[in-house]
Amino acid sequence: MVGDQTIAPAIGRMAVTLAAAGSAVGLAAPSLAGQEPADLIIANALIHTADPGAPLAEAMAVSDGVIVAIGDVGEVDRYRGPGTTVLDLEGRAVVPGLIDAHAHVMNLGLFLRTVDLIGTRGIEEIAARVREAAAGRPAGEWIMGRGWDQNDWAVQEFPTSATLDSAASDHPVWLTRVDGHAGWANRRAMEAAGITAATPDPEGGRIVRDEAGNATGVFIDNAEGLVEASIPLPGPEELAARLAAAQERMVSVGLTGVHDMGTEAAEVELFRQWAAAGRLVPRIASYLDGSDTTLMVALESFAGGAADAGDRFRVRGVKFYADGALGSRGAALLAPYTDDPGNDGLLVTSPDTLQAEVVRTLGLGLQPAIHAIGDRGNRIALDAIAAARETAATNGARAVAATSADAPADRGGVVPRIEHAQVVALEDIARFAEQNVIASMQPTHATSDMYWAEDRVGPERIRGAYAWRKMLDAGVPLACGSDFPVENPNPFHGLYAAVTRQDQEGWPAGGWRPEERLAREEALACFTRWAADAAGMRGEVGTLAVGARADFLVLDQDIMEVPADSIWRTRVLRTVIDGETVYEAEPAGGSEPE
Ligand SMILES: [Zn+2]
């Protein structure tokens, strides 16, 4: 039911709303001075442009999806004609459409299509959520959920399949426990998996059984695989439903663009089809999955924008991995973990292989985007980029030749990126600037990890961790993102984390390592102009200026003026891409789930 039709009718409906709002304002007599009248005028607004040359404006005119005038009423009103829609914002704040510089679109779709059971208080509540999910899906389709925990229930016992049979008898249901170490199936799921009383417990796993030996619905550890093996790979309809859900969520929280990290071959096809059909709503700048052999053997075919589809889907680079993650102690460190002295993490890719991949990518005019979390991972990534540039220089400097008409970032050429740049040796921070490498960072990772990050790396190395202020002060090009669905996709949570370095309860007072905080203007730039730069889209998106695409948000509060602790609560009232309203909040007055 969700399907891929969700967004398009919504756009149509909202366009009508926009037109109605315009006519309600009442149009003055045309006062054109030679200009073509604009399609749309935003009037009486508090516009934060993210354009350092002209940071504030009160009005903006848009034609054919492009900003044709921005400034004071006098400058913009000249574009008013009899056919112009005028939107009086009554002083509300407007910002450029926000761009998430590191995220996973289809994983967000999967996340949204998976029933969220975190915090549920009993089997009745879970049954209700499963029943709701089943109502929207054809019989036989698997319903997946995650996050139940019987320790939160009044009766702290493992549940049985009967609860789920009553909620969804026509669908196989599979719900994983909060820690992933147990799964709960209904009868349809167990039948699909061929589970009988005769099925033995696998090595390292246990099937919970009744006195007669029949499985009662819970499968522990390796026994989970008995059921999971029968879950089909997602078909085209499910993938379409995931993309629809993901883009609907993105525009509702104010994201008009995203840098999709590690796009797989099937996802490239889906994004291209949707973009070509006019169904892709946010702009996706794709960084291909460097471990996807289908894509890597054909990498040449992505050079020069050859595989792009309009301006909603473009392939910008390739995602590689230097190391693992800090939480699981897989991030590669120069010295062992403070809380695990025998362990210094692991390299996912050998330095030689990484360097060869960077050489090839830059040689095609594509951006390498290297995941690096630990200080050793980051150093290896910087070394690979430096060595690749030398190789390229001796090969006739192909690597720095821009391959598209887009304005290159400040210092020219295709700019490599390091994704996360999470724990960096202090002496390596300047190398990002010297080598013109973008540090693509996630403010909410800092506020999720701050409770334990120093345990991992100790008091000295923590100074170079999540150190976006040191990066900025050293002249490093920054871009901000969320890594959704690892973190919440709402970019206002990221803006808040960047500015306060506090969690949403305000802990710790004054902020965690507050010397790394960004000013609000910097945080906004990091999610707009700098993020656009990081994908070679400067001037096209990320700022509200003449000639830029009309991607912007109307907000319920002015994020530059409200108390910092309320930035994360900002609600998007309207999201506009190419001058078209793609999301509009329900009118105020209803009960808001928050
Ligand atoms: Zn990621």
Side-chain angles (χ1 to χ4, degrees):
M1 180 219 91
V2 176
D4 45 41
Q5 300 300 316
T6 313
I7 294 282
I11 292 171
R13 176 166 51 75
M14 286 158 189
V16 170
T17 314
L18 185 75
S23 60
V25 171
L27 298 175
S31 54
L32 292 174
Q35 284 87 0
E36 285 285 304
D39 301 331
L40 170 68
I41 285 179
I42 300 298
N44 193 13
L46 176 57
I47 304 175
H48 297 289
T49 66
D51 173 2
L56 279 172
E58 59 185 14
M60 178 164 73
V62 175
S63 277
D64 294 327
V66 173
I67 298 169
V68 293
I70 182 165
D72 62 30
V73 171
E75 288 168 69
V76 172
D77 213 45
R78 299 180 299 145
Y79 289 83
R80 184 185 292 217
T84 303
T85 299
V86 179
L87 195 59
D88 183 334
L89 292 186
E90 299 170 336
R92 290 213 192 275
V94 169
V95 295
L98 299 172
I99 301 167
D100 191 314
H102 179 122
H104 307 280
V105 173
M106 292 304 287
N107 286 352
L108 176 62
L110 169 61
F111 178 88
L112 294 171
R113 294 273 294 166
T114 304
V115 182
D116 182 6
L117 303 174
I118 300 271
T120 45
R121 310 305 298 267
I123 57 173
E124 300 80 12
E125 192 178 352
I126 290 171
R129 293 194 191 184
V130 168
R131 193 174 290 117
E132 189 186 349
R137 303 188 194 191
E141 194 174 284
W142 281 74
I143 290 169
M144 314 282 287
R146 72 198 133 68
W148 59 272
D149 184 351
Q150 79 280 6
N151 295 320
D152 292 343
W153 304 346
V155 181
Q156 296 179 4
E157 286 173 3
F158 273 145
T160 69
S161 62
T163 303
L164 303 179
D165 293 336
S166 67
S169 57
D170 295 335
H171 300 73
V173 178
W174 178 245
L175 310 177
T176 50
R177 195 176 178 278
V178 65
D179 61 1
H181 285 277
W184 174 15
N186 71 349
R187 186 146 306 284
R188 282 287 295 259
M190 290 193 285
E191 282 166 10
I195 305 292
T196 67
T199 307
D201 288 356
E203 181 92 21
R206 185 165 70 88
I207 301 172
V208 179
R209 302 171 194 267
D210 63 16
E211 280 150 20
N214 297 304
T216 56
V218 171
F219 297 75
I220 296 172
D221 283 322
N222 286 351
E224 292 178 89
L226 298 173
V227 179
E228 288 172 349
S230 60
I231 299 171
L233 289 173
E237 283 182 14
E238 173 61 22
L239 290 176
R242 288 179 191 176
L243 180 50
Q247 68 176 9
E248 191 170 36
R249 173 62 60 90
M250 287 173 61
V251 296
S252 76
V253 295
L255 290 173
T256 58
V258 61
H259 302 175
D260 190 58
M261 284 292 150
T263 315
E264 295 168 10
E267 298 170 350
V268 169
E269 272 321 298
L270 185 65
F271 294 157
R272 290 189 62 197
Q273 284 166 14
W274 277 46
R279 286 153 72 192
L280 195 62
V281 181
R283 298 179 201 279
I284 298 182
S286 167
Y287 293 79
L288 304 173
D289 178 357
S291 64
D292 186 323
T293 49
T294 307
L295 292 172
M296 288 308 102
V297 296
L299 192 57
E300 280 72 14
S301 67
F302 294 98
D308 297 356
D311 51 20
R312 297 283 168 101
F313 177 70
R314 299 176 208 190
V315 174
R316 287 315 211 193
V318 187
K319 166 92 179 290
F320 299 112
Y321 280 85
D323 62 353
L326 195 64
S328 51
R329 299 187 186 82
L333 298 180
L334 293 163
Y337 280 85
T338 302
D339 60 0
D340 188 4
N343 178 15
D344 61 4
L346 53 93
L347 296 180
V348 173
T349 312
S350 82
D352 287 348
T353 304
L354 186 63
Q355 187 185 319
E357 286 170 333
V358 172
V359 168
R360 182 183 181 211
T361 305
L362 283 171
L364 292 169
L366 295 167
Q367 292 175 282
I370 307 169
H371 164 114
I373 302 258
D375 51 10
R376 185 159 56 111
N378 276 279
R379 184 168 293 175
I380 285 169
L382 288 164
D383 287 347
I385 291 164
R389 283 230 177 87
E390 262 173 49
T391 309
T394 56
N395 289 348
R398 275 181 73 201
V400 291
T403 54
S404 76
D406 295 310
D410 266 340
R411 281 156 282 190
V414 175
V415 185
R417 314 168 40 135
I418 292 183
E419 300 304 316
H420 308 304
Q422 204 167 84
V423 181
V424 178
L426 291 176
E427 62 268 34
D428 285 347
I429 288 178
R431 289 186 65 190
F432 280 78
E434 288 156 15
Q435 294 183 215
N436 194 22
V437 174
I438 293 156
S440 166
M441 303 182 76
Q442 297 75 36
T444 42
H445 278 345
T447 50
S448 290
D449 298 356
M450 62 186 175
Y451 310 101
W452 47 262
E454 190 169 342
D455 297 344
R456 295 281 187 282
V457 300
E460 186 53 34
R461 289 181 291 193
I462 200 71
R463 295 168 57 212
Y466 316 88
W468 48 73
R469 162 57 58 193
K470 287 191 189 75
M471 290 277 190
L472 200 56
D473 288 349
V476 177
L478 279 188
C480 282
S482 71
D483 206 5
F484 71 65
V486 177
E487 304 282 355
N488 192 308
N490 187 328
F492 294 94
H493 295 192
L495 287 163
Y496 167 77
V499 166
T500 66
R501 294 179 67 101
Q502 291 173 314
D503 65 22
Q504 290 173 359
E505 276 72 54
W507 189 91
W512 181 65
R513 309 194 64 79
E515 65 276 14
E516 299 294 345
R517 289 177 301 187
L518 295 185
R520 295 188 199 203
E521 294 74 15
E522 294 165 337
L524 180 62
C526 204
F527 277 98
T528 56
R529 186 172 80 249
W530 300 343
D533 284 355
M537 294 164 80
R538 166 171 296 190
E540 181 183 359
V541 293
T543 50
L544 298 176
V546 171
R549 310 298 312 186
D551 295 4
F552 62 90
L553 314 176
V554 181
L555 307 179
D556 74 333
Q557 59 178 4
D558 180 6
I559 57 169
M560 294 302 176
E561 289 296 331
V562 293
D565 63 8
S566 71
I567 291 173
W568 67 271
R569 297 178 204 270
T570 303
R571 285 179 64 238
V572 175
L573 301 180
R574 184 187 292 269
T575 302
V576 179
I577 299 178
D578 281 337
E580 295 277 336
T581 295
V582 296
Y583 167 79
E584 194 173 11
E586 297 293 323
S591 58
E592 289 300 327
E594 196 63 70

